[in-house]
């Protein structure tokens, strides 16, 4: 092994280790922030007026063989405000680790993770296109949020339109996985800027008013409720950011439809959860049916709908032997999927998948799926021909039978 290769492999290993640390910190921050937010939302939905104290609310809970009483105080004293614990630290950790992780993985190898075969582009172009969305989405969202409070239907419509517009853009220009990661990141950045740019300052203004013996501005509470609608999309953000673990969903050939269904499922899921809280822990029957039909419809659309991409079905009579199939794999796939990957900055085989003569059969189904819809090789960086792609699919389908 040459000194140059050893140093390159060492650098890639260090970067992978740094990425693993950032992933862990990012996940911890996400769990802490979202868990706290969902718990507070549960309290808000299940609260009841205290007897004789209509200005305050209470919630009784049970956990760890104990019984807990939580109260919402409408007008706390200045002394109580001084002991207030602010809950915005986790969102800062989430934002910082997310930005570093996105740059470390996706901007370091945009050809591998973002660029799709339909629209070949340079790494600089892919990064610029991605940054444009990460900056443009929260700015556009802020413009929409500043609409007059009386125009709620217009506000909701514009939110839907500009979200669908971003989805159409990136599913057209990026790979399926790249589009999901991009949309998830854009939604995450939009949520963070909304919280740190408006909700945190609004909370500070409310605390300052209470310390001065005044009531917070009621209009700000209405604006808060409008901006807080972003929480309906939090499950979708989680799904998109973990999409690399859902190979079958990412590679189904319907990226636009998949992303829209995930967004709809996120909203419906959160509405069901909140309705369950309002109903004292019981899910109303209409929401059970709505959720069940949504899941069934998603399965039918994503797995049985005719493919929207060019479908390279196997051609009959291709004279490829097992040895020749191994050569195709070695030339087009083994740069990443080998014990010591030779692809730049790839220190370990993605998802631990190593192609050898002994393991190829076990991955036949996955090869048939991702090769057939063009997901692999990413951006067709290794130059797989249509004939080779068709031969691999024919071989894979035979090995599965």
């Amino acid at each position: 092994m040459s000194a140059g290769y050893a140093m390159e492999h060492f650098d890639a290993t260090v970067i992978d280790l740094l990425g693993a640390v950032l992933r862990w910190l990012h996940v911890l921050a996400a769990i802490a922030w979202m868990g706290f937010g969902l718990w507070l939302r549960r309290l808000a939905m299940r609260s009841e007026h205290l007897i004789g104290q209509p200005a305050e609310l209470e919630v009784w809970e049970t956990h760890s063989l104990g019984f807990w009483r939580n109260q919402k105080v409408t007008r706390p004293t200045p002394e109580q405000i001084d002991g207030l614990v602010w809950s915005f630290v986790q969102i800062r950790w989430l934002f910082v680790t997310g930005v570093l992780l996105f740059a470390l993985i996706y901007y370091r190898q945009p050809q591998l993770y973002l660029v799709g075969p339909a629209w070949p582009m340079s790494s600089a172009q892919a990064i610029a296109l991605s940054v444009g969305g990460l900056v443009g989405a929260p700015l556009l969202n802020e413009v929409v949020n500043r609409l007059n409070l009386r125009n709620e239907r217009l506000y909701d419509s514009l939110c839907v339109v500009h979200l669908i517009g971003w989805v159409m853009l990136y599913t057209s220009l990026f790979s399926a996985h790249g589009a999901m990661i991009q949309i998830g990141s854009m939604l995450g950045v939009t949520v963070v800027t909304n919280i740190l740019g408006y909700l945190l300052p609004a909370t500070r203004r409310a605390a300052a008013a209470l310390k001065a013996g005044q009531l917070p501005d009621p209009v700000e509470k209405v604006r808060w409720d409008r901006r807080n609608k972003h929480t309906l999309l939090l499950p979708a953000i989680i799904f998109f950011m973990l999409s690399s673990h859902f190979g079958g969903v990412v590679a189904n050939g319907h990226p636009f439809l998949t992303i829209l269904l995930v967004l709809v499922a996120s909203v419906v899921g959160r509405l069901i959860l909140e309705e369950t809280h309002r109903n004292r822990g019981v899910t109303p029957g209409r929401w059970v049916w709505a959720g069940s039909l949504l899941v069934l419809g998603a399965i039918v659309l994503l797995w049985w709908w005719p493919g929207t991409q060019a479908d390279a079905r196997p051609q009959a009579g291709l004279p490829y032997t097992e040895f020749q199939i191994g050569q195709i794999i070695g030339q087009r796939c083994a740069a990443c999927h080998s014990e010591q990957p030779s692809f730049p900055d790839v220190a370990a085989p993605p998802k631990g998948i190593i192609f050898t003569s002994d393991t190829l059969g076990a991955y036949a189904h996955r090869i048939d799926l991702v090769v057939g819809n063009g997901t692999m090789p990413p951006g067709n960086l290794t130059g797989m021909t249509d004939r080779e792609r068709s031969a691999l699919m024919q071989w894979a389908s035979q090995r599965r039978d």
Side-chain angles (χ1 to χ4, degrees):
M1 181 184 296
S2 66
Y5 177 82
M7 180 57 67
E8 181 181 340
H9 186 75
F10 174 77
D11 292 343
T13 302
V14 171
I15 292 175
D16 272 8
L17 177 61
L18 179 59
V21 173
L22 285 174
R23 278 191 183 95
W24 182 239
L25 293 175
H26 190 62
V27 169
L28 285 178
I31 292 173
W33 174 65
M34 291 192 62
F36 183 67
L38 290 173
W39 176 70
L40 288 180
R41 193 65 182 164
R42 171 187 170 92
L43 294 183
M45 293 295 99
R46 292 199 174 194
S47 60
E48 294 182 346
H49 289 292
L50 285 167
I51 297 177
Q53 300 181 53
E56 294 185 351
L57 302 171
E58 71 173 2
V59 179
W60 281 85
E61 300 281 359
T62 177
H63 189 273
S64 302
L65 297 181
F67 298 92
W68 303 79
R69 182 185 186 186
N70 300 282
Q71 296 184 3
K72 177 185 176 182
V73 182
T74 304
R75 191 169 182 174
T77 64
E79 292 76 16
Q80 291 172 323
I81 290 294
D82 287 335
L84 185 65
V85 177
W86 295 84
S87 60
F88 295 93
V89 176
Q90 302 97 328
I91 195 67
R92 292 193 180 98
W93 273 97
L94 189 62
F95 177 71
V96 172
T97 55
V99 169
L100 292 176
L101 195 58
F102 197 86
L104 184 67
I105 296 177
Y106 300 100
Y107 288 170
R108 185 167 61 94
Q109 294 179 303
Q111 295 291 336
L112 189 62
Y113 293 108
L114 296 180
V115 178
W119 287 89
M121 64 184 74
S122 67
S123 296
Q125 289 172 330
I127 293 173
L129 183 61
S130 173
V131 172
L134 295 177
V135 175
L139 288 177
L140 184 56
N141 182 70
E142 185 60 29
V143 171
V144 175
N145 273 322
R146 292 178 181 271
L147 287 174
N148 190 290
L149 291 173
R150 293 191 296 270
N151 299 327
E152 279 306 290
R153 288 188 178 180
L154 177 61
Y155 167 79
D156 292 336
S157 299
L158 288 178
C159 286
V160 172
V161 168
H162 95 81
L163 180 55
I164 292 178
W166 288 115
V167 175
M168 291 180 63
L169 174 67
Y170 287 107
T171 52
S172 300
L173 299 179
F174 281 177
S175 66
H177 181 216
M180 288 191 184
I181 288 294
Q182 176 69 20
I183 295 299
S185 300
M186 287 168 52
L187 290 174
V189 171
T190 301
V191 168
V192 170
T193 54
N194 186 42
I195 291 174
L196 297 183
Y198 178 82
L199 299 185
L200 175 56
T203 304
R204 286 175 171 165
R205 289 192 293 270
L210 289 169
K211 286 183 178 180
Q214 304 170 356
L215 285 177
D217 185 356
V219 176
E220 283 207 328
K221 179 62 171 66
V222 179
R223 291 193 177 278
W224 175 293
D225 290 339
R226 167 191 275 186
R227 289 174 176 263
N228 201 46
K229 290 180 179 180
H230 65 241
T231 59
L232 296 174
L233 297 178
L234 292 182
I237 296 175
I238 295 176
F239 182 92
F240 294 143
M241 300 315 294
L242 296 177
S243 59
S244 59
H245 299 281
F246 307 121
V249 176
V250 174
N252 60 33
H254 312 284
F256 177 75
L257 184 60
T258 300
I259 292 177
L260 286 188
L261 282 173
V262 170
L263 292 171
V264 171
S266 177
V267 173
V268 173
R270 282 303 307 272
L271 291 176
I272 291 175
L273 182 62
E274 297 202 355
E275 192 68 20
T276 301
H277 288 328
R278 289 192 184 96
N279 208 38
R280 312 303 297 169
V282 179
T283 304
R286 64 180 183 276
W287 283 110
V288 174
W289 281 105
S292 302
L293 290 175
L294 178 62
V295 172
L296 179 62
I299 293 174
V300 171
L301 285 173
L302 296 181
W303 274 269
W304 280 276
W305 191 286
T308 57
Q309 301 180 358
D311 192 6
R313 286 294 98 192
Q315 301 173 15
L318 285 172
Y320 278 82
T321 64
E322 286 281 336
F323 175 76
Q324 290 172 315
I325 291 296
Q327 285 184 316
I328 296 174
I329 294 290
Q331 185 178 6
R332 309 302 186 190
C333 310
C336 292
H337 294 288
S338 61
E339 291 186 2
Q340 293 185 340
S342 59
F343 196 89
D345 296 326
V346 176
K351 299 185 179 180
I353 296 175
I354 299 175
F355 290 147
T356 68
S357 58
D358 296 327
T359 63
L360 276 182
Y363 295 118
H365 173 75
R366 193 173 297 188
I367 291 173
D368 186 26
L369 181 68
V370 299
V371 170
N373 58 39
T375 303
M376 290 291 170
N380 202 22
L381 288 176
T382 56
M384 181 180 289
T385 66
D386 291 340
R387 187 174 178 84
E388 290 171 337
R389 193 177 299 276
S390 186
L392 279 178
M393 294 180 64
Q394 184 185 57
W395 166 84
S397 63
Q398 291 172 349
R399 294 296 297 267
R400 292 169 53 191
D401 295 339

